[in-house]
């Protein structure tokens, strides 16, 4: 009997102890969350002029979003060097090669959601049909500052070609038009931007950007801004070998840029519940780097017989409207070159329309960014814009 009692006590301890431990951990998490709420409230409620900016009593918001966006990247490669001629061993002296690839996939649509608590929020979007990829963003805003992070990755087959080749006799051949890459070309883009408001008590960019607060009266503010942009273009696959060769043997490009600027934002409240916002910020790049990755191939576009270095002539056949490449065609990375570009002038432009009623709000927001990069052999121009429509509820 005594043994049974001891066994029952041990079993009870095993059951009660985990529950006690779980309750303690739950209590710690609850206290930590309450402290975070107090800190977030102190960063917003106490620092606004209540006559101009209203902090909603309901701190949470859930938003459904639809977005239309466009991404254009023009990559120009140019160089003067020798080209292998059709005759084995004979080089073309003083040849000039200009090659521009224009990646401008059809304007795409995506759907997603946005969730936020006070000035903290994140969103996720999924592209429909035209692009394969995902988009993710995170933002943190206060009375005087804002920090936004955007990540996007997608692929495309479509592009435009604008090229010219001048041979050793001075004869120039031009060709341009739409084209499709055999394998998808992947584009990855990261943008991190932040701003500081000089009139943060009466003007809120967040009221127009993520609706964490409500602008009640018209106001504007001078602002300081900074933006970091990083993009990569990757077309280095075996089936894309002809495209890599025509690019001057580069298969990947990685670009990074840091911009600073001074701009102005204005919130116009024409009637109760309405808000129209415009922000314009010219920027100057203080850091501008482009890294190009070069590749080699066991085939050559510029030979009709096997070359002295063992490369075979590339003969692309067509079968049922599709290009057929040799099964043993391979590319491999040989080296990378890093260049730093001169100072570039860019721009960050944003505009929005918002209407608030009761617990609900609707918003249309647009943003345009452009970036320029340059190196000794490659220039890159980027234009990135999007327009999104949102329907949200606070709770």
């Amino acid at each position: 009997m005594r043994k049974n009692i001891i066994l029952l006590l041990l079993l009870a301890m095993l059951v009660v102890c985990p529950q006690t431990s779980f309750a303690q951990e739950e209590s710690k998490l609850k206290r930590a969350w309450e402290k975070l709420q107090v800190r977030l409230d102190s960063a917003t409620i106490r620092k606004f002029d209540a006559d101009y900016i209203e902090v909603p009593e309901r701190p949470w918001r859930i938003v459904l979003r639809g977005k239309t966006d466009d991404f254009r990247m023009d990559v120009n490669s140019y160089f003067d060097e020798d080209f292998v001629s059709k005759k084995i061993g004979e080089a073309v002296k003083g040849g000039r090669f200009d090659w521009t690839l224009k990646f401008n996939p059809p304007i795409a649509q995506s759907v997603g959601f946005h969730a936020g608590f006070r000035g903290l929020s994140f969103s996720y979007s999924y592209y429909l049909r035209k692009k394969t990829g995902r988009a993710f963003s995170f933002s943190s805003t206060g009375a005087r500052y804002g920090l936004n992070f955007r990540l996007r990755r997608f692929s495309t087959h479509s592009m435009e070609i604008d090229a010219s080749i001048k041979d050793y006799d001075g004869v120039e051949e031009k060709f341009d038009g739409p084209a499709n890459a055999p394998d998808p070309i992947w584009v990855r883009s990261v943008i991190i931007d932040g701003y500081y408001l000089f009139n943060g008590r009466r003007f809120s960019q967040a009221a127009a950007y993520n609706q964490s607060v409500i602008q009640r009266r018209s106001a504007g503010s001078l602002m300081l801004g900074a933006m970091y942009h990083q993009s990569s273009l990757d077309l280095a696959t075996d089936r894309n070998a002809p495209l890599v060769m025509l690019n001057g043997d580069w298969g990947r490009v990685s670009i990074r840029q840091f911009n600073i600027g001074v701009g102005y934002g204005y919130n116009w409240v024409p009637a109760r519940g309405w808000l129209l916002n415009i922000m314009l910020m010219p920027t100057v790049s203080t850091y501008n780097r482009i890294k190009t990755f070069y590749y080699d191939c066991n085939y050559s576009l510029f030979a009709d017989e096997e070359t002295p270095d063992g490369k075979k002539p590339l003969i692309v056949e067509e079968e049922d409207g599709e290009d057929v490449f040799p099964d043993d065609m391979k590319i491999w990375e040989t080296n990378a070159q890093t260049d730093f570009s001169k100072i570039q002038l860019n721009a960050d432009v944003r505009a929005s329309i918002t209407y608030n009623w009761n617990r609900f709000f609707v918003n249309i927001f647009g943003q345009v960014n452009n970036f320029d990069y340059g190196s000794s052999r490659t220039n890159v121009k980027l234009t990135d814009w999007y327009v999104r429509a949102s329907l949200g509820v606070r709770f």
Side-chain angles (χ1 to χ4, degrees):
M1 181 69 177
R2 184 178 179 182
K3 291 182 179 179
N4 292 335
I5 293 174
I6 293 174
L7 182 60
L8 289 172
L9 289 173
L10 290 174
L11 290 173
M13 290 175 64
L14 290 173
V15 173
V16 172
C17 285
Q19 290 181 345
T20 304
S21 177
F22 179 78
Q24 291 175 347
E25 292 298 325
E26 186 179 21
S27 178
K28 289 180 181 179
L29 291 174
K30 184 177 180 180
R31 289 196 300 269
W33 173 244
E34 289 174 350
K35 289 181 179 180
L36 179 60
Q37 285 182 302
V38 172
R39 291 181 64 89
L40 292 174
D41 285 343
S42 65
T44 54
I45 296 176
R46 302 175 186 174
K47 296 185 178 181
F48 287 122
D49 185 335
D51 291 334
Y52 284 80
I53 298 174
E54 176 187 347
V55 179
E57 293 182 1
R58 297 179 174 88
W60 289 94
R61 60 193 180 280
I62 293 293
V63 186
L64 297 178
R65 285 179 170 177
K67 185 169 69 171
T68 298
D69 67 73
D70 189 30
F71 183 95
R72 181 184 180 92
M73 174 184 285
D74 293 352
V75 184
N76 175 243
S77 300
Y78 54 95
F79 44 92
D80 296 306
E81 60 181 34
D82 297 342
F83 295 95
V84 178
S85 72
K86 293 288 184 178
K87 298 179 181 179
I88 303 304
E90 181 179 339
V92 178
K93 301 295 183 180
R96 171 74 180 184
F97 184 70
D98 284 295
W99 174 267
T100 300
L101 287 179
K102 300 178 180 180
F103 298 96
N104 188 22
I107 294 177
Q109 287 76 41
S110 62
V111 294
F113 73 93
H114 169 97
F117 177 85
R118 291 298 186 215
L120 295 177
S121 60
F122 74 93
S123 64
Y124 176 83
S125 298
Y126 175 77
Y127 284 110
L128 303 175
R129 295 183 303 176
K130 296 295 185 181
K131 294 179 181 176
T132 301
R134 303 289 188 274
F136 171 82
S137 67
F138 171 82
S139 67
S140 175
T141 58
R144 290 189 176 273
Y145 77 92
L147 180 66
N148 307 296
F149 170 89
R150 284 193 291 148
L151 168 65
R152 180 170 56 179
R153 186 173 185 264
F154 65 89
S155 66
T156 179
H157 286 268
S158 62
M159 58 188 172
E160 292 183 13
I161 298 174
D162 185 3
S164 66
I165 299 177
K166 183 182 292 186
D167 64 16
Y168 59 99
D169 291 327
V171 178
E172 184 176 14
E173 182 179 358
K174 294 184 177 181
F175 52 98
D176 55 63
N180 287 311
D183 280 344
I185 298 169
W186 282 96
V187 178
R188 181 176 180 272
S189 176
V190 173
I191 295 179
I192 303 173
D193 67 84
Y195 59 82
Y196 176 83
L197 302 175
F198 288 92
N199 187 23
R201 284 184 55 79
R202 296 184 175 182
F203 168 84
S204 174
Q205 185 69 16
Y209 188 79
N210 61 21
Q211 289 73 53
S212 58
V213 295
I214 301 172
Q215 188 85 35
R216 298 181 59 185
R217 297 175 61 181
S218 301
S221 177
L222 189 69
M223 61 176 65
L224 293 177
M227 176 179 291
Y228 172 78
H229 174 247
Q230 176 178 330
S231 287
S232 62
L233 177 70
D234 188 352
L235 50 89
T237 66
D238 293 335
R239 280 166 46 87
N240 282 342
L243 188 59
V244 172
M245 291 183 228
L246 289 172
N247 277 340
D249 295 330
W250 69 258
R252 286 191 295 139
V253 173
S254 174
I255 50 184
R256 297 181 181 180
Q257 188 179 79
F258 181 76
N259 297 275
I260 57 174
V262 178
Y264 189 82
Y266 188 77
N267 282 342
W268 179 40
V269 182
R272 182 179 177 82
W274 286 96
L275 172 63
L276 282 73
N277 167 272
I278 184 70
M279 190 207 82
L280 174 61
M281 183 178 294
T283 63
V284 177
S285 62
T286 58
Y287 177 81
N288 214 354
R289 193 202 77 166
I290 179 169
K291 187 173 184 179
T292 310
F293 298 84
Y294 294 95
Y295 290 76
D296 201 356
C297 183
N298 57 343
Y299 280 82
S300 173
L301 284 173
F302 305 102
D304 53 8
E305 297 179 15
E306 186 171 322
T307 62
D309 59 1
K311 292 187 177 182
K312 304 174 185 179
L314 179 59
I315 300 175
V316 182
E317 300 179 352
E318 188 172 299
E319 182 176 306
D320 297 329
E322 297 288 336
D323 291 334
V324 178
F325 299 90
D327 293 335
D328 62 340
M329 183 171 65
K330 301 293 182 182
I331 64 170
W332 57 90
E333 184 179 330
T334 57
N335 66 293
Q337 177 180 332
T338 301
D339 294 284
F340 293 90
S341 177
K342 60 184 179 180
I343 293 177
Q344 302 283 352
L345 297 177
N346 300 312
D348 183 8
V349 181
R350 308 181 191 191
S352 76
I353 301 175
T354 306
Y355 180 68
N356 295 276
W357 79 99
N358 297 328
R359 299 166 51 195
F360 302 92
F361 59 87
V362 293
N363 170 262
I364 299 176
F365 180 90
Q367 182 171 346
V368 180
N369 297 114
N370 73 287
F371 307 94
D372 289 323
Y373 303 82
S375 68
S376 58
R377 289 176 52 172
T378 304
N379 285 331
V380 180
K381 292 184 177 181
L382 288 170
T383 301
D384 182 0
W385 66 263
Y386 69 90
V387 176
R388 72 179 183 223
S390 305
L391 171 62
V393 59
R394 297 184 176 93
F395 60 95

